[in-house]
Amino acid sequence: MTLGGYRVDNEAPHINVTHLSVAYRDQRILKDVSMTVPGGRVLAVIGPSGCGKSTLLRVFNRLVDRVSGVHIKGQVQVGNFEVIGDHVDLVELRQKVGMVFQHPNPFPFSVFDNVAYGPRLQGVKNSNRLRLLVENSLKQASLWDEVRGKLRRPASSLSGGQQQRLCIARALAVSPQVLLMDEPTSALDPLSTAKIEELVLALKGRYTVILVTHNLQQAARVSDFTAFFREGHLVELGPTKEVFTTPRRSATEEFLTGRYE
Amino acid sequence: MLRQSFRAELQQLDQELIRMGALVEDQIRRAVKSLTERNVTLADMVIADDDRVDAMEIDIERRCLTLLALQQPLAGDLRIVSTILKIITDLERMADHAADIAEVTVRLGQEPLVKPLVDIPEMARLSSSMVRLALNAYIHRSLEEAVTMIRLDDDVDHLYSRIFDDLQGLMQDRPETVPQAIHLLFVANYIERVADHATNLGEWVIYMVTGERKELND
């Protein structure tokens, strides 16, 4: 299915990570991580601060490159797309792999122009196509009903929760296959958090979602799989309901039961 | 030490669970004693004390739900709290059976027994010791103790089928014993159910320790 010349019903790809190590100068952040994220599923990444989970997220869209002195070793594939390497087209990668950050960061434009920003960069000029794309993205982000008729208002006039869903709509507007979410609700109230969580559940199947969160209950509520990281190592990755009830590794047990020191 | 208040509350819950278990064990023992000694007063006490067991179940259940809501335990901690919730249900059912046995005592009044009670008290002794052993296994978080106590259920089942055959023979030989023999058959059945619930306790302890649900009595 296409909309405005863009594919909107994409095949969510598997993500394969093979022997991934990341270091900043001589500090090793991720140590020989290998894992597979099944396509269309939600993976929650949990672990204590400094375990490498945010770095992992930033490898998937190569945002990690922006840190000086970073050194990446290993392989990461999003579907058939090689993520690591000198000749990777970062624009193409970031079109495939969208990201939502901890704090909502709408551009200082209108609601409409925020969502239309990516498609416009990609060359969509037809106003009807743009309107359809914006509407479709806002619907997917469960924001359409709240902002229809207010599309010309500044994005900053929206509540924090609405702004975060706007950022998700903006990410979806360029038809990504993967959505990275870095603590997407840590700045939101419980009601807005619930809406984002519902949204993640609704996006399941169409996108491969990787969610970094400190909120263990959130990981339990929305994810299919959970990966526990500690000190740069992937300790355990398994179906969420198993990891949260009967973890296989004692380090995971210690973390989940608050005994980790 | 993290989550100290959670640990403290769990320890208190353990204490309450032990108290409830001890009361249930006592209820079973006293119910069968009331029957063998034809002591209607004791039977009335057992029936009245069933309310205490019910109140304990409700209290422990409320505290578990509060813990789930406020502390959101995970992994091993989650298994402990859910095990407590399941154990108290089984304990409460056992106490109901003790009250059922006491009701039989009341119903029989001073009517002479059609046969001396030997196997029924032995079955009750075994079943109530299963309760104690299961709670010990819970406190020690011991898989081995749970597996060992569950095996006692076979002895209880063996006694039950012997009582069944005895009473059946008695009813065939002396039809006038049928009304009382039926009551005694019910008593044996109640005790057999108590042992089944005790087996459940053991199975929940196994789940708590290993994360695996196993049906060991069938």
Side-chain angles (χ1 to χ4, degrees), chain A residues 34-260:
Chain A
S34 293
M35 62 187 225
T36 298
V37 187
R41 300 303 186 93
V42 179
L43 172 79
V45 182
I46 60 170
S49 299
C51 70
K53 55 189 188 295
S54 289
T55 300
L56 177 75
L57 210 61
R58 283 163 171 73
V59 168
F60 292 133
N61 63 355
R62 294 278 300 273
L63 218 57
V64 74
D65 292 18
R66 299 175 73 91
V67 181
S68 66
V70 73
H71 182 69
I72 308 174
K73 213 171 75 183
Q75 271 189 315
V76 175
Q77 292 160 317
V78 173
N80 296 322
F81 194 93
E82 292 286 350
V83 172
I84 310 297
D86 294 336
H87 304 293
V88 175
D89 181 341
L90 293 184
V91 174
E92 189 185 351
L93 173 66
R94 287 170 193 164
Q95 183 267 313
K96 283 180 191 295
V97 183
M99 188 162 187
V100 178
F101 296 87
Q102 191 168 2
H103 290 278
N105 54 354
F107 301 139
F109 312 143
S110 69
V111 170
F112 185 94
D113 289 343
N114 261 275
V115 184
Y117 189 83
R120 277 179 178 141
L121 273 185
Q122 292 180 328
V124 181
K125 293 195 175 78
N126 182 297
S127 61
N128 276 337
R129 278 185 177 182
L130 272 177
R131 220 179 49 238
L132 271 172
L133 261 173
V134 168
E135 179 179 334
N136 182 57
S137 304
L138 287 168
K139 278 179 176 166
Q140 281 197 73
S142 309
L143 189 59
W144 175 248
D145 290 341
E146 293 164 55
V147 298
R148 63 192 304 178
K150 303 175 189 168
L151 298 178
R152 295 292 163 197
R153 293 197 186 169
S156 58
S157 67
L158 301 178
S159 74
Q162 288 172 327
Q163 287 184 22
Q164 191 63 309
R165 277 179 286 146
L166 178 67
C167 293
I168 294 172
R170 189 177 63 193
L172 298 181
V174 294
S175 299
Q177 298 173 323
V178 175
L179 204 55
L180 308 174
M181 303 182 112
D182 190 4
E183 296 260 14
T185 63
S186 64
L188 303 182
D189 64 64
L191 189 62
S192 304
T193 297
K195 283 186 179 167
I196 300 275
E197 289 181 5
E198 286 294 325
L199 176 56
V200 173
L201 291 173
L203 296 176
K204 206 180 271 195
R206 281 176 288 173
Y207 305 91
T208 307
V209 179
I210 302 180
L211 168 74
V212 164
T213 181
H214 275 299
N215 182 337
L216 296 178
Q217 272 63 41
Q218 177 167 82
R221 281 190 293 265
V222 304
S223 69
D224 301 298
F225 296 90
T226 295
F228 170 60
F229 279 78
R230 194 174 75 169
E231 293 168 8
H233 292 284
L234 171 62
V235 176
E236 180 165 355
L237 190 160
T240 295
K241 61 184 175 191
E242 285 174 22
V243 173
F244 278 74
T245 55
T246 48
R248 281 177 283 124
R249 308 297 292 268
S250 58
T252 317
E253 172 85 32
E254 285 167 15
F255 178 71
L256 291 176
T257 56
R259 290 194 196 92
Y260 175 77

Side-chain angles (χ1 to χ4, degrees), chain B residues 38 104 108 111-115 167 176-185:
Chain B
R38 326 309 315 282
V104 171
L108 293 182
E111 191 184 307
L113 287 172
V114 293
K115 72 186 281 293
L167 288 169
E176 75 279 7
T177 63
V178 168
Q180 193 188 100
I182 288 176
H183 280 304
L184 295 179
L185 207 50

Side-chain angles (χ1 to χ4, degrees), chain B residues 53 57 88-98 100 194 197:
Chain B
V53 178
E57 185 203 11
I88 56 175
T89 308
D90 277 309
L91 285 176
E92 192 271 335
R93 298 260 164 83
M94 291 184 211
D96 283 347
H97 291 315
D100 291 336
V194 166
H197 284 296

Side-chain angles (χ1 to χ4, degrees), chain B:
Chain B
M1 180 71 182
L2 291 161
R3 307 199 73 174
Q4 257 173 344
S5 63
F6 179 74
R7 304 263 145 240
E9 178 63 18
L10 262 192
Q11 274 179 4
Q12 281 190 17
L13 271 174
D14 281 356
Q15 302 278 334
E16 291 300 312
L17 196 63
I18 296 302
R19 278 185 52 211
M20 184 177 175
L23 178 57
V24 169
E25 213 185 310
D26 203 38
Q27 287 283 88
I28 299 160
R29 193 185 55 76
R30 290 192 304 162
V32 174
K33 189 173 185 228
S34 78
L35 183 69
T36 51
E37 295 180 358
R38 326 309 315 282
N39 186 338
V40 175
T41 314
L42 183 60
D44 284 338
M45 282 168 63
V46 171
I47 292 164
D49 281 347
D50 192 41
D51 288 346
R52 283 175 58 202
V53 178
D54 292 349
M56 286 171 120
E57 185 203 11
I58 290 168
D59 179 55
I60 295 173
E61 181 186 271
R62 182 184 53 76
R63 289 168 65 168
C64 285
L65 293 177
T66 305
L67 264 189
L68 288 176
L70 301 185
Q71 304 273 1
Q72 290 136 20
L74 294 168
D77 289 344
L78 178 62
R79 297 204 303 276
I80 292 174
V81 178
S82 31
T83 295
I84 297 174
L85 276 170
K86 300 297 288 190
I87 281 182
I88 56 175
T89 308
D90 277 309
L91 285 176
E92 192 271 335
R93 298 260 164 83
M94 291 184 211
D96 283 347
H97 291 315
D100 291 336
I101 294 167
E103 296 272 8
V104 171
T105 305
V106 173
R107 192 174 289 228
L108 293 182
Q110 296 306 318
E111 191 184 307
L113 287 172
V114 293
K115 72 186 281 293
L117 300 182
V118 179
D119 286 342
I120 283 181
E122 175 59 13
M123 208 180 153
R125 191 192 61 76
L126 265 178
S127 303
S128 59
S129 74
M130 282 177 77
V131 179
R132 188 175 52 248
L133 291 170
L135 288 172
N136 282 344
Y138 166 83
I139 292 296
H140 300 145
R141 312 284 190 250
S142 168
L143 175 64
E144 200 186 326
E145 286 181 42
V147 171
T148 307
M149 63 80 36
I150 286 173
R151 290 204 191 105
L152 290 176
D153 190 43
D154 291 342
D155 298 342
V156 175
D157 287 344
H158 178 70
L159 278 171
Y160 178 54
S161 60
R162 196 160 84 189
I163 291 167
F164 189 94
D165 292 344
D166 283 356
L167 288 169
Q168 197 177 38
L170 188 68
M171 288 188 273
Q172 279 166 347
D173 295 345
R174 294 165 51 204
E176 75 279 7
T177 63
V178 168
Q180 193 188 100
I182 288 176
H183 280 304
L184 295 179
L185 207 50
F186 265 101
V187 168
N189 182 250
Y190 294 140
I191 300 171
E192 194 269 337
R193 294 297 303 141
V194 166
D196 284 347
H197 284 296
T199 303
N200 289 349
L201 302 193
E203 288 171 356
W204 280 110
V205 172
I206 292 172
Y207 166 74
M208 179 180 77
V209 176
T210 65
E212 280 179 46
R213 281 287 288 136
K214 280 190 178 146
E215 285 287 335
L216 293 181
N217 75 324
D218 31 35

